[in-house]
Amino acid sequence: MNTVVKKLADIEATAEAIVEHAQAQKSEIEKKIQTQRDRFDTELEDRTRKQLAQIRQEADEKMERILREQREKNRSTIDNLKKEFEENHTAYAREILAHIAEV
C-alpha cells in the first residue's frame, strides 16, 4: 500500500512539475508573442507615417503646381485687361461721357 501511495505521490509531483514547466513555457511564449506584436505595431506605425508623409508631400506639390498655374493665368488675364485699357481708354471715356450727357 505504501508503494501505491508513494507511486501516487511521485505521479502527483511529476504532474506538478509538468504543470509548472508548462506555465513557464506559456509565459515565455506570451512574452515572445507580445514582442512580435509590439514589433509589428511599430513597423506598421512607421510604414503608415511614411505613407502619410509621402501623400502630404504629393498633395503639397500638386497644390503648389495648381496655385502656380492659377497665378500665371491671373497674371495673363490682368496683363490682357491692362493692354485693352491702354488701347481703348479714350473710347471708354467718350462712351461714359455720352451716357452721362444723355441723362
Side-chain angles (χ1 to χ4, degrees):
M1 183 76 159
N2 282 341
T3 57
V4 171
V5 172
K6 185 169 169 83
K7 285 272 188 200
L8 288 174
D10 288 344
I11 291 171
E12 187 176 340
T14 303
E16 286 178 9
I18 290 171
V19 169
E20 287 175 12
H21 181 69
Q23 289 289 350
Q25 283 183 327
K26 178 183 172 190
S27 180
E28 285 298 315
I29 291 170
E30 286 175 348
K31 286 179 186 177
K32 276 184 181 178
I33 290 171
Q34 187 61 44
T35 300
Q36 290 172 346
R37 187 179 300 138
D38 291 345
R39 185 174 43 237
F40 174 80
D41 289 346
T42 301
E43 290 171 2
L44 180 62
E45 186 177 324
D46 191 43
R47 279 196 314 266
T48 302
R49 189 178 303 118
K50 286 177 182 177
Q51 287 175 340
L52 284 174
Q54 182 179 358
I55 290 168
R56 280 190 192 110
Q57 181 182 359
E58 290 171 1
D60 288 345
E61 289 171 359
K62 184 176 182 179
M63 177 77 84
E64 190 58 39
R65 182 179 44 80
I66 290 170
L67 287 172
R68 185 174 48 251
E69 289 171 0
Q70 191 63 44
R71 281 188 212 108
E72 290 172 9
K73 183 179 175 184
N74 290 346
R75 192 175 310 124
S76 175
T77 302
I78 290 170
D79 290 344
N80 289 339
L81 288 172
K82 284 180 179 180
K83 181 179 177 183
E84 182 182 336
F85 177 76
E86 289 298 322
E87 292 173 357
N88 299 315
H89 71 280
T90 304
Y92 294 150
R94 285 188 184 135
E95 193 175 320
I96 291 170
L97 285 176
H99 282 313
I100 292 173
E102 288 176 4
V103 175

